[in-house]
Amino acid sequence: MPVPMLELAPQNAAVKARVLEGLSGLIDRSSFILGDNVKGLEAEISAYAGAAHAVGMSSGTDAQLAALMALGIGAGDEVIVPSFTFFATAGVVSRVGAKPVFIDLDPATFNASGALVEAAITPRTKAIMPVHLFGQLADMPGIMAVAAKHGLPVIEDACQSLGAKGWGKSAGQFGDMTAYSFYPTKNLGAFGDAGMTAIRDDAALAARVRRIRVHGMEPVYMHHEVGMNGRMDEFQALVLRAKLPMLDSWHEGRRTHAAWYLERLQDLTPDEAVLPQEVVPEGRHIYNQFTIRVPGGRRDGLQAHLRERGIGCAIYYPICLHEQPCFAPLGYQTGQLPESERAAKEVLSLPVYPEMTPAMREEVAVAILGFFGRS
Ligand SMILES: Cc1ncc(COP(=O)(O)O)c(C=O)c1O
């Protein structure tokens, strides 16, 4: 039985009737951008994530870009970011003319720690952007303590982690601002691109993000600063509002599959495969990805073995950002961030979407165990 890495159709079928009905009303009203659905979604996400303000954006990338712009970060500034993440986290820093300063990761979580952030601070540091990679929170108490000590703002990259929890809080309740992505493969996915910037408690900062979203304009045709077009579509907002009530049950579906994999694959030794660890106290890993490590140069062999058997799997991410050609002028060398470089060689993400059946995950587990000569 083939097992795709991800299948969106069954989940989207669950909201199809509601979305079609909403779309019909939208066409009748013909108000397509920044309308009642965007306003409603902003209120619902701000309540769900526990942040005081939320601003609907055109993508997660634009949500991060607007956050940096609202903090006034630009040429000559440095922003601390992980090297092992999706490109956008660092791309937006360069986009505002600032310099991404790459840090290594904690191998237990793939995420940044307070100590790693602290070691990268210089007099030019203007912000810290931790990423909650794969659905688990970074060491936010440690990072926030370092930020407070140095008086630096924190932008959480929760593009993969809306609803992730730890230390009694949710992604979005730690940093000054937080970016979420609703790219279709996220746990809460739109029918196209969409994102959100949440602002923890600062109403003036929220107002600035709102203004930046519409070319720095307020009121109409009065431009106080050069912003961007970061507007969210009404259609995406209505899709996301139809899905949001189901999000917690989808998180639980992923967590059930993850717990099952952890038990079924528990006999694998650390030199065969290392399973993801949920280490955050009072945590809820939402498993946007279930990512194992395969050390000893066998990762690509396992990937080929799974693919031959029709099992989807993927490498997030095969190249660290400090080794990307576009960042060569920053002067990083291979070997400088060893844990990130090791992760890029070892990681393999397995199917973990909520609609997967028990028979499908058994197929994945049997194929992995077979590769290592086990049953
Ligand atoms: C960690 C991370 N940061 C940023 C983004 C950018 O989000 P988007 O694709 O919505 O622009 C993504 C998603 O793709 C992501 O996974």
Side-chain angles (χ1 to χ4, degrees):
M1 177 207 324
V3 184
M5 177 65 189
L6 175 65
E7 229 183 343
L8 294 174
Q11 188 167 96
N12 290 336
V15 293
K16 186 172 171 181
R18 211 168 142 201
V19 168
L20 286 176
E21 195 190 314
L23 178 60
S24 165
L26 202 58
I27 294 169
D28 291 344
R29 289 194 304 282
S30 283
S31 164
F32 296 113
I33 291 174
L34 294 185
D36 290 345
N37 279 296
V38 172
K39 276 201 196 79
L41 181 70
E42 289 175 345
E44 287 159 15
I45 294 290
S46 117
Y48 182 83
H53 311 274
V55 183
M57 301 292 299
S58 41
S59 69
T61 305
D62 286 341
Q64 291 181 299
L65 186 59
L68 287 169
M69 290 167 81
L71 291 173
I73 288 166
D77 297 337
E78 293 180 356
V79 179
I80 297 173
V81 294
S83 177
F84 187 69
T85 175
F86 180 63
F87 179 79
T89 320
V92 291
V93 175
S94 293
R95 203 61 195 78
V96 296
K99 179 180 164 192
V101 172
F102 294 113
I103 57 170
D104 215 351
L105 54 80
D106 173 351
T109 61
F110 302 109
N111 281 331
S113 68
L116 289 163
V117 167
E118 177 128 52
I121 289 177
T122 76
R124 288 175 182 264
T125 308
K126 287 288 157 19
I128 304 165
M129 289 179 71
V131 178
H132 307 312
L133 202 66
F134 303 146
Q136 178 162 238
L137 291 188
D139 166 27
M140 292 314 291
I143 293 167
M144 292 311 294
V146 172
K149 183 171 149 194
H150 295 271
L152 292 168
V154 172
I155 302 170
E156 296 176 55
D157 178 343
C159 284
Q160 302 181 0
S161 295
L162 173 65
K165 292 183 196 235
W167 300 279
K169 294 189 192 178
S170 296
Q173 290 187 306
F174 296 90
D176 301 73
M177 287 189 274
T178 301
Y180 303 106
S181 167
F182 305 121
Y183 185 77
T185 61
K186 305 304 187 201
N187 289 26
L188 179 63
F191 286 3
D193 274 312
M196 182 93 47
T197 308
I199 299 91
R200 191 188 57 217
D201 49 25
D202 185 334
L205 200 53
R208 188 150 184 214
V209 172
R210 269 182 205 287
R211 203 170 73 177
I212 285 168
R213 173 175 68 175
V214 288
H215 296 292
M217 181 172 77
E218 190 189 8
V220 71
Y221 301 130
M222 175 73 80
H223 299 267
H224 300 268
E225 61 184 318
V226 178
M228 62 197 287
N229 173 2
R231 300 177 303 232
M232 184 189 263
D233 285 350
E234 277 290 284
F235 176 64
Q236 301 308 339
L238 96 78
V239 170
L240 293 164
R241 294 185 82 190
K243 288 185 167 192
L244 186 58
M246 285 169 262
L247 182 59
D248 280 329
S249 70
W250 293 335
H251 290 331
E252 285 317 309
R254 288 170 181 271
R255 287 178 56 76
T256 302
H257 294 320
W260 183 90
Y261 276 135
L262 291 174
E263 192 170 329
R264 186 74 174 85
L265 301 174
Q266 66 182 341
D267 289 342
L268 293 174
T269 59
D271 60 328
E272 291 172 331
V274 180
L275 306 177
Q277 301 167 44
E278 191 173 0
V279 300
V280 171
E282 302 169 76
R284 176 165 76 164
H285 191 326
I286 59 156
Y287 291 102
N288 182 243
Q289 300 298 338
F290 183 90
T291 302
I292 65 170
R293 283 174 178 270
V294 187
R298 300 172 81 186
R299 188 266 314 270
D300 293 352
L302 176 60
Q303 184 180 35
H305 176 87
L306 294 179
R307 286 196 170 155
E308 276 160 25
R309 283 154 185 77
I311 293 169
C313 52
I315 297 170
Y316 305 119
Y317 298 90
I319 306 174
C320 293
L321 298 187
H322 72 281
E323 296 180 293
Q324 292 290 350
C326 69
F327 292 131
L330 297 177
Y332 286 89
Q333 305 295 323
T334 295
Q336 223 172 319
L337 301 176
E339 287 297 347
S340 304
E341 292 165 27
R342 185 162 72 91
K345 290 193 187 83
E346 293 184 353
V347 289
L348 189 63
S349 297
L350 306 177
V352 74
Y353 58 97
E355 296 76 17
M356 219 170 96
T357 63
M360 291 163 102
R361 67 191 186 197
E362 174 68 12
E363 192 101 357
V364 179
V366 164
I368 293 172
L369 293 167
F371 177 78
F372 293 110
R374 292 155 174 276
S375 55

